[in-house]
Amino acid sequence: METAIRLENVVKKYPKFTLDHINLELPKGCIMGLVGENGAGKTTLIKCILGLISLSDGRIYRDEKVISKKEIEWKNDVGVVMSGSSFPGNLNAKQINKIMENIYSRWDKNIFYDYLKQFHIDENKFTKDYSTGMAMKLQIAVAFSHNAKLLLLDEATSGLDPVVRDEILEILQNFIQDEECTVLFSSHITSDLEKVADYITFLHKGKLIFSENKDELLYNYGVVRCSKEDYKRIDPEHVVGLRKNQFGYEVMVDNRIDISRQNRDWVVDSTTLEEIILFQIKGDVL
Ligand SMILES: Nc1ncnc2c1ncn2[C@@H]1O[C@H](COP(=O)(O)OP(=O)(O)OP(=O)(O)O)[C@@H](O)[C@H]1O
């Protein structure tokens, strides 16, 4: 499978935080969900890819070429939605359309106006009078209207109601029908990622914990509910998290099928992305 973006030993150091030697491949034609607790480094990673911040070390490749900030094509090829950023308040969507026509060589006014209609955005309303959801929807409309090949969405669906979120997930799935198109999508709404992501990348305190195919992840991971004695019989190599409660141990393992075959009387449940993350972040010390 071809790679859209590759990070090689990427380090970004801030005084109290380090994005720590990230090696990551984003395959073309896929949606990758980026998860992690507040402050895990998701936005920092997206900003590194966009070249908005300089790297302390490492390299980022696009189509196997090192990304240079000066590349004009790169700007045309990327659609970006960052939570917290917005258009100047004294502009309306009509004016934004004019500005974008001058910025993006492949800007498509018709697509933009179709999204405005779909998202119920009044083209004459100034963005200062938008609700949070509307401001996000406008950013999304812009990101989708210049025939980008890569979409980088940072918390793009936060603050949106379930109906609009669903619409956006559907748009993302349609977008990657073109095998040249790729999405990196950070979100705390793990159910959204479970619905649409092909890969899940998990950052924790600036480190990459895993980047895996979502279906394999959900197939392989599971929770064993057992006694302390049984817990000791599980290969520690496969234990990714542990919770103790009054009834015994809950152990997150990454070889659910093997364990349930080997121990037919054990309770081994399938799990969710949210559980996998919670076990890793909040699990008891192994
Ligand atoms: N310009 C900066 N100067 C210093 N520290 C920074 C800067 N930008 C980000 N950080 C720190 O880097 C860490 C990671 O922040 P980042 O925004 O990447 O996390 P995140 O995973 O996107 O979090 P959230 O889910 O809350 O958006 C945080 O501790 C943050 O304070």
Side-chain angles (χ1 to χ4, degrees), residues 18-284:
T18 303
L19 190 65
D20 198 1
H21 291 90
I22 305 294
N23 288 292
L24 178 65
E25 285 195 11
L26 174 51
K28 254 186 204 172
C30 291
I31 299 178
M32 180 177 278
L34 185 58
V35 291
E37 75 281 2
N38 290 128
K42 303 178 297 296
T43 303
T44 305
L45 187 137
I46 290 175
K47 284 184 177 170
C48 287
I49 295 176
L50 283 168
L52 293 176
I53 49 177
S54 57
L55 306 185
S56 308
D57 203 358
R59 284 199 172 143
I60 301 184
Y61 299 84
R62 173 196 165 214
D63 293 336
E64 288 309 318
K65 286 187 215 108
V66 176
I67 294 174
S68 133
K69 274 193 212 169
K70 294 185 188 114
E71 273 182 272
I72 293 171
E73 253 321 290
W74 172 235
K75 181 191 73 182
N76 279 318
D77 281 354
V78 186
V80 184
V81 180
M82 306 283 278
S83 72
S85 68
S86 56
F87 293 101
N90 58 347
L91 294 179
N92 60 28
K94 218 153 94 186
Q95 292 163 317
I96 288 168
N97 172 59
K98 287 275 165 228
I99 294 169
M100 295 303 156
E101 271 176 346
N102 290 318
I103 293 181
Y104 294 112
S105 61
R106 298 197 298 265
W107 179 256
D108 191 326
K109 180 182 172 179
N110 295 330
I111 298 181
F112 182 63
Y113 273 91
D114 281 349
Y115 279 124
L116 293 185
K117 209 165 150 193
Q118 181 177 348
F119 293 152
H120 307 290
I121 295 175
D122 174 352
E123 63 188 87
N124 294 308
K125 190 170 182 164
F126 292 114
T127 63
K128 67 179 165 54
D129 299 325
Y130 279 21
S131 67
T132 313
M134 278 174 75
M136 196 57 102
K137 285 191 267 183
L138 180 65
Q139 276 204 60
I140 290 168
V142 169
F144 279 111
S145 298
H146 60 91
N147 289 302
K149 296 277 177 225
L150 174 69
L151 283 178
L152 298 175
L153 310 177
D154 190 17
E155 289 294 328
T157 50
S158 61
L160 299 181
D161 68 59
V163 176
V164 176
R165 274 194 2 244
D166 218 54
E167 275 172 26
I168 288 163
L169 298 182
E170 210 179 305
I171 297 169
L172 289 183
Q173 281 178 313
N174 289 336
F175 176 73
I176 57 148
Q177 293 309 307
D178 177 343
E179 286 174 8
E180 288 297 307
C181 293
T182 310
V183 179
L184 179 64
F185 175 25
S186 91
S187 180
H188 291 290
I189 308 173
T190 49
S191 56
D192 282 358
L193 298 178
E194 273 194 30
K195 254 187 227 167
V196 297
D198 301 295
Y199 290 85
I200 301 289
T201 294
F202 176 32
L203 287 180
H204 179 42
K205 295 184 179 170
K207 290 191 187 325
L208 183 85
I209 305 298
F210 61 70
S211 181
E212 291 190 32
N213 176 291
K214 179 198 69 187
D215 292 336
E216 286 175 19
L217 187 77
L218 293 176
Y219 180 76
N220 290 327
Y221 280 58
V223 181
V224 182
R225 299 176 207 284
C226 61
S227 64
K228 189 175 177 182
E229 287 65 41
D230 286 342
Y231 163 64
K232 285 182 187 157
R233 290 169 47 207
I234 302 174
D235 180 352
E237 284 269 298
H238 292 291
V239 176
V240 291
L242 171 72
R243 272 189 208 150
K244 296 171 201 163
N245 60 34
Q246 65 201 87
F247 306 109
Y249 281 34
E250 289 180 311
V251 191
M252 179 68 74
V253 293
D254 64 6
N255 63 340
R256 173 172 73 94
I257 304 298
D258 285 347
I259 291 214
S260 46
R261 273 192 199 128
Q262 287 154 14
N263 308 280
R264 292 194 180 273
D265 52 331
W266 286 12
V267 180
V268 187
D269 292 329
S270 57
T271 190
T272 60
L273 183 56
E274 182 154 320
E275 279 283 287
I276 295 172
I277 292 164
L278 283 175
F279 261 88
Q280 304 233 14
I281 295 177
K282 288 181 66 186
D284 296 330

